[in-house]
Amino acid sequence: MGGVAGGIAREAKDSRVETAVGLRIRTRIFLRWMRVVRWMRRGDSLAMLEICCFSEFKIYPSRGRTFISADSKTHRFLSSKTESLYHQRKNGRILSWTPHYRRINNKGVVQGAAKKRTRRNVKYNRGVVGASWEAINARRNEKPEVRAEAIAKAKAKAQSKTRTATKA
């Protein structure tokens, strides 16, 4: 009887394992379906795009592989090739087929579009409403002594005007 009871227990245990595995698979399918539905609800195809942490290619929904490291960081890879190269500790900046390498080494960039031409502002010397450019330039270039004399004359003239105004 002990053997029969052990056999029954083993059967029950096996069926529990099957249900746990089936539940895990059903959960995974459901979560993948929810991710697709969420992506479809947003309406734009760029909503769920991710970037491969090795090659920097775009990973579209239901594509790619996920690796969770010991420090709980999530790494998304485009393919098994990129995952394998990551685990081999290869550098994506050195491999010529990665977008990271192409961006660093200026590959595929049109030279005309790469450097933008700038226009310099041209200065024009023009006169203002009350004076021409020659008059402004002459005042700017005159010596300080001449300017001081002109200021003294202007002050004397202003004072004489105020004295005549107060007398009258």
Side-chain angles (χ1 to χ4, degrees), residues 85-121:
L85 290 168
Y86 174 82
H87 289 306
Q88 292 174 43
R89 301 196 187 278
K90 301 289 184 192
N91 193 344
R93 289 173 286 185
I94 297 172
L95 299 173
S96 60
W97 54 269
T98 61
H100 199 164
Y101 171 88
R102 295 183 69 77
R103 188 173 55 250
I104 289 172
N105 296 295
N106 300 322
K107 302 292 182 187
V109 177
V110 180
Q111 291 298 326
K115 189 173 181 181
K116 192 175 180 182
R117 291 181 60 182
T118 57
R119 291 185 56 152
R120 300 231 176 241
N121 292 336

Side-chain angles (χ1 to χ4, degrees), residues 134-151:
E134 290 79 21
I136 294 170
N137 212 12
R139 286 292 299 261
R140 187 183 288 168
N141 293 333
E142 69 184 13
K143 293 185 178 170
E145 300 87 30
V146 176
R147 190 174 296 156
E149 285 178 30
I151 291 170

